[in-house]
Amino acid sequence: MLEMTEEITNPRLVEWGVAAAPLPGQTESGDGHFVQPLLHGALAAVVDGLGHGPEAAAAARLAVETLRLHAGESVIAVVRFCHEALGRTRGVTLSAATFDARQNTMTWLSVGDVEGVLLRGDPHARPVKEHLMQRGGVVGYQLPPLHPAVFRVAPGDTLVFATDGVRGGFADHRLRLEDPPQTIADRILAGYGRKTDDALVLVVRYLGGAA
């Protein structure tokens, strides 16, 4: 379990940027994100409330608050806490990752269709990108067996989350990983965002404890 602390000794384990847009005509989005630096790593997650409008937004807000309350737990535990909390809502799809700088690992778990792509900072790495496995289900309604995947990570590796309001294929064209995460998120949303759903892109770069 990753340990939370009020005095984070090195907050530069990750950097991130987020870009989001609600469905045209809606005043609030059913997509949400959460990033929390931890003592030895970080938790990052994206949630997508089923449908759109106020009820989807309420489910997403509750999921984000639950992630906040349990950010120091394992990735399996935070998904289960969200499932318990969201039983009276529409539910959400959710993808979450925990980074551990002690082991240089990322533990990934996805329920539903929030896409995740891990892009290697080293252009000579093979594979240079990894599409992370998605499993069917709805957090708060139908939770599948939870089998997280663990990846080795190195400083400069970048994780991109995208809800289903973002067209696939954004990682098939080489992204400029030297750009700040916010620039990458903005570019993906502008180029691949649909106008038929809420859309959110979260870009998290692992720094590995760099000062």
Side-chain angles (χ1 to χ4, degrees):
M1 183 179 76
L2 293 175
E3 182 182 352
M4 276 292 288
T5 178
E6 291 297 326
E7 297 179 1
I8 297 169
T9 57
N10 191 346
R12 293 280 296 166
L13 295 173
V14 294
E15 60 181 359
W16 66 92
V18 62
L23 176 70
Q26 296 290 328
T27 59
E28 53 186 342
S29 175
D31 294 350
H33 75 284
F34 179 75
V35 181
Q36 176 64 63
L38 304 169
L39 179 59
H40 298 295
L43 168 67
V46 164
V47 302
D48 182 352
L50 265 60
H52 51 79
E55 291 185 13
R61 285 194 299 270
L62 181 55
V64 168
E65 181 57 29
T66 304
L67 290 166
R68 191 184 316 279
L69 290 172
H70 300 286
E73 302 286 347
S74 71
V75 69
I76 290 179
V78 296
V79 171
R80 286 178 173 160
F81 279 120
C82 286
H83 183 65
E84 293 170 3
L86 294 169
R88 296 181 180 273
T89 73
R90 286 187 175 185
V92 302
T93 58
L94 184 157
S95 287
T98 54
F99 292 89
D100 188 335
R102 295 166 296 186
Q103 304 294 326
N104 281 318
T105 57
M106 182 192 80
T107 302
W108 165 269
L109 185 58
S110 181
V111 178
D113 54 8
V114 176
E115 185 174 0
V117 182
L118 181 63
L119 303 168
R120 299 298 185 178
D122 179 358
H124 302 293
R126 292 294 180 271
V128 71
K129 64 183 175 183
E130 301 191 62
H131 291 268
L132 306 179
M133 182 178 293
Q134 299 167 275
R135 290 180 171 83
V138 178
V139 177
Y141 175 66
Q142 185 177 18
L143 199 64
L146 300 179
H147 301 295
V150 180
F151 298 83
R152 296 288 297 178
V153 289
D157 289 353
T158 301
L159 175 61
V160 181
F161 296 87
T163 65
D164 62 358
V166 178
R167 291 184 290 110
F170 57 82
D172 294 338
H173 299 87
R174 180 160 175 79
L175 299 172
R176 291 171 50 89
L177 294 186
E178 63 269 27
D179 287 341
Q182 186 61 56
T183 300
I184 298 171
D186 290 337
R187 186 174 294 129
I188 293 173
L189 184 64
Y192 292 88
R194 305 178 192 271
K195 301 299 183 183
T196 56
D197 200 354
D198 303 321
L200 185 145
V201 178
L202 174 65
V203 177
V204 182
R205 177 169 296 143
Y206 179 66
L207 301 178

